[in-house]
Amino acid sequence: MHIVHTIDDLRRALKPAALRAFVATMGNLHQGHLDLMQMARQAVDARAPQGGMTVASIFVNRLQFGPNEDFDTYPRTFERDCEQLAANGCDVLFAPSEKDLYPEPQVFKVHPPADLADILEGAFRPGFFVGVSTVVHKLFNCVQPDIAFFGKKDYQQLMVIRRMVQQMALPIEIIGGETRRAENGLALSSRNGYLSTEERAEAVQLSMALKGLAAAARAGNAAGVLDVTTIEAAAMEALRARGWQPDYLTVRRQHDLSPLTGPCDEPLVVLGAAKLGKTRLIDNLEV
Ligand code: PAF
């Protein structure tokens, strides 16, 4: 695996590539990231076995962290990440420093539409999707991928990126990877590393609560009386009773994350975010 740090070196390394398949990360990789890397490898081997290249990036993007969030303490495990990427089919790793990617303050930014980006995660993390969209757009400009892979664990992020690519007419195919879970059902996340042993055992309750909410939504739809406000409040209360601080647990339409006012026969998704101790976790389930 070829490791490059500057945009110029990246462009040189990728110049001969007949096809580029890209996985953007902030490092501290887990199996969910490695699944995406393997999907990228398979796509290149299937579509351009001669001369295609897989590319990953590791960059902890200050722009997407709020002032009271964990930018400084975000786990950085570069050596281990490199070994894992190399073992999972990565050809080129782009690992810029902040000076390499943002040599001057990044004053041109991508502002995604409020109806998609100021709800759910965006409501609790103001500016988060501006930071994500800006860095992903910039990384896309640096890598110029043909295909890019993002995890469904960050469901709203995947939607924001899909909309950005479509609206900006970027010639990139976006592919979503399924959420990787631990044996007990806990969604893998770099932030799981913040959890104590007891919290780790408790953390699966977020996905259990979402399963319960999904079942309640299905049952309400089947009966033709879906009271979303009531089932969402009950799911939040159940977590609160276990000592969590939920931000939201909600049933939304899959295609635009808009809320429901009653029974709905469109594909749905339940999404949740909640704090356990000091750690904020997110998860979702397609219904
Ligand atoms: O999902 C992440 O790890 C980050 O939000 C991303 C897409 C790499 C942008 O910094």
Side-chain angles (χ1 to χ4, degrees):
M1 182 176 75
H2 189 167
I3 302 175
V4 293
H5 299 285
T6 68
I7 297 174
D8 283 349
D9 285 348
L10 175 73
R11 292 201 166 127
R12 255 189 299 278
L14 293 180
K15 202 161 191 180
L19 180 117
R20 300 165 188 195
F22 179 46
V23 180
T25 83
M26 299 205 300
N28 194 239
L29 304 181
H30 52 67
Q31 193 55 46
H33 296 111
L34 302 178
D35 288 349
L36 299 179
M37 202 63 245
Q38 288 171 15
M39 286 166 74
R41 179 77 265 158
Q42 280 163 15
V44 165
D45 291 349
R47 298 187 199 186
Q50 253 90 56
M53 285 187 185
T54 61
V55 191
S57 63
I58 294 180
F59 182 68
V60 184
N61 173 41
R62 189 187 288 274
L63 287 188
Q64 71 191 71
F65 287 78
N68 299 319
E69 293 186 353
D70 55 346
F71 175 77
D72 290 326
T73 53
Y74 196 84
R76 288 155 172 92
T77 50
F78 188 68
E79 301 296 317
R80 206 177 116 250
D81 293 346
C82 287
E83 284 165 23
Q84 290 185 311
L85 287 172
N88 283 276
C90 181
D91 294 321
V92 175
L93 169 60
F94 179 43
S97 67
E98 280 199 284
K99 273 254 162 298
D100 290 319
L101 203 63
Y102 300 136
E104 55 193 47
Q106 183 69 33
V107 288
F108 279 79
K109 292 183 179 160
V110 179
H111 286 263
D115 64 340
L116 183 58
D118 291 357
I119 59 170
L120 305 173
E121 281 307 278
F124 287 91
R125 304 183 68 190
F128 173 66
F129 287 115
V130 173
V132 168
S133 307
T134 302
V135 79
V136 170
H137 199 289
K138 192 157 187 177
L139 289 168
F140 281 170
N141 283 334
C142 298
V143 174
Q144 304 204 341
D146 300 281
I147 327 168
F149 299 81
F150 294 87
K152 286 195 193 176
K153 158 84 177 6
D154 296 293
Y155 204 84
Q156 192 179 1
Q157 169 175 283
L158 175 60
M159 288 192 67
V160 168
I161 292 169
R162 279 193 199 285
R163 280 266 287 275
M164 176 180 77
V165 162
Q166 175 242 321
Q167 277 241 325
M168 300 289 197
L170 302 179
I172 305 170
E173 183 185 345
I174 303 295
I175 299 182
E178 294 304 322
T179 300
R180 255 289 175 161
R181 295 180 183 278
E183 239 167 63
N184 69 356
L186 171 65
L188 297 193
S189 159
S190 300
R191 290 190 168 98
N192 290 352
Y194 296 147
L195 299 168
S196 68
T197 311
E198 297 76 48
E199 286 173 340
R200 216 186 142 81
E202 172 66 21
V204 69
Q205 293 299 329
L206 176 58
S207 79
M208 305 283 278
L210 289 174
K211 270 191 195 156
L213 182 56
R218 267 193 299 266
N221 261 338
V225 278
L226 179 54
D227 180 350
V228 181
T229 313
T230 302
I231 61 174
E232 289 179 353
M236 304 247 290
E237 195 42 49
L239 274 190
R240 237 178 247 122
R242 303 183 65 92
W244 291 67
Q245 299 153 259
D247 284 343
Y248 59 85
L249 272 86
T250 185
V251 188
R252 298 291 167 118
R253 288 182 177 81
Q254 266 182 39
H255 85 278
D256 62 359
L257 298 183
S258 62
L260 318 183
T261 49
C264 175
D265 57 10
E266 288 172 45
L268 303 178
V269 57
V270 291
L271 307 105
K275 255 180 146 180
L276 180 59
K278 289 195 161 60
T279 310
R280 187 174 183 279
L281 300 174
I282 63 169
D283 199 354
N284 65 78
L285 282 177
E286 287 174 334
V287 181

